[in-house]
Amino acid sequence: HDWTPAQWAFRWLYNQPEVTVVLSGMNSLEMVEENCRTASEMQAGSLTDEDFELLDKIKEAIRENEKVGCTGCRYCMPCPKGVDIPGTFACYNTMYTEGKNSGRFQYAQTVGLTKEPAFASQCIECGKCEQHCPQSIPIREKLKEADKALRPFPYKVGINAARWYMYRKGGLSGKKKSALIIIITVILAIASGIVFSLVKRNSRLDTDCQ
């Protein structure tokens, strides 16, 4: 089928006999037309066994490459301590879909180097976010995991140093800020690789000595 992801989602919903109304957010006339066309074509029981097999494969692929099932709905926001919960989870997932350095770069750019820091480590575990999460994500637990993965020690040092430099008196222009983020990310990626190699080497030496 030459269906868009949205069409697949709608068709799955319309295929459920207990579903009578589907609500959708639409941002353009094209989306309205597409949704109306999909609704006019579908009814309960229209999807085939092959369609369900494909959907199962897609779900499995998503689960394998996703650490947190956050949809970015932002019902958990605002955090009383300023944590960017959806942003953190998006970066955490990026680490496993596009590579660790990509996720960490995204985290530094969108969470770590903003004027008001929004680190996962700012969480005080009040639990307010979890009360509003429609996915029932254990947010407090996942924030700890994400912060540990996204900010290993070299990154913490580098980001803190960059924040001091960027937001000292006068600050930096947009272009200089972007350039600095790229430079810092490259340096931190190299530093993390060196640290990891040394740890791995020492671990191997300890094993050999035993």
Side-chain angles (χ1 to χ4, degrees):
H1 301 295
D2 188 22
W3 296 339
T4 66
Q7 286 175 318
W8 272 104
F10 280 123
R11 288 172 186 275
W12 184 87
L13 287 169
Y14 285 125
N15 196 71
Q16 314 303 313
E18 62 271 24
V19 174
T20 56
V21 177
V22 176
L23 301 179
S24 168
M26 294 166 279
N27 299 319
S28 67
L29 179 60
E30 289 75 16
M31 290 182 181
V32 175
E33 292 173 344
E34 179 182 297
N35 289 354
C36 290
R37 185 167 56 252
T38 302
S40 66
E41 295 172 355
M42 283 299 295
Q43 59 183 355
S46 295
L47 292 181
T48 65
D49 290 340
E50 289 77 12
D51 292 332
F52 282 112
E53 286 179 13
L54 178 58
L55 288 170
D56 287 339
K57 290 179 181 178
I58 292 171
K59 286 190 290 185
E60 189 60 33
I62 291 173
R63 289 195 186 103
E64 287 178 359
N65 294 288
E66 188 177 67
K67 299 298 287 185
V68 185
C70 175
T71 62
C73 69
R74 302 188 71 83
Y75 290 168
C76 57
M77 298 294 283
C79 167
K81 289 299 178 180
V83 178
D84 184 352
I85 299 169
T88 297
F89 289 155
C91 297
Y92 191 28
N93 284 333
T94 297
M95 285 185 65
Y96 294 89
T97 56
E98 300 177 26
K100 290 184 178 180
N101 288 334
S102 294
R104 287 169 179 163
F105 172 77
Q106 183 179 327
Y107 192 62
Q109 188 174 31
T110 61
V111 176
L113 296 179
T114 52
K115 192 164 187 178
E116 295 297 329
F119 294 122
S121 58
Q122 294 167 211
C123 172
I124 58 171
E125 300 190 50
C126 66
K128 289 182 179 179
C129 51
E130 293 182 5
Q131 298 171 17
H132 301 287
C133 178
Q135 308 301 323
S136 300
I137 296 170
I139 294 175
R140 289 171 288 183
E141 175 188 332
K142 290 298 181 181
L143 282 176
K144 290 179 183 177
E145 290 180 15
D147 189 63
K148 185 177 180 181
L150 290 164
R151 285 203 307 158
F153 182 72
Y155 275 74
K156 285 184 180 180
V157 174
I159 289 174
N160 287 339
R163 287 190 57 79
W164 173 84
Y165 182 72
M166 289 170 63
Y167 296 112
R168 73 195 196 288
K169 188 176 181 180
L172 293 177
S173 65
K175 289 184 178 179
K176 289 182 179 179
K177 179 180 175 182
S178 298
L180 179 62
I181 290 172
I182 294 172
I183 292 169
I184 289 171
T185 303
V186 171
I187 293 172
L188 293 178
I190 294 171
S192 294
I194 293 171
V195 170
F196 177 76
S197 297
L198 289 173
V199 170
K200 192 174 182 180
R201 179 186 173 191
N202 289 337
S203 177
R204 192 182 301 119
L205 288 173
D206 290 341
T207 302
D208 292 341
C209 290
Q210 292 174 359

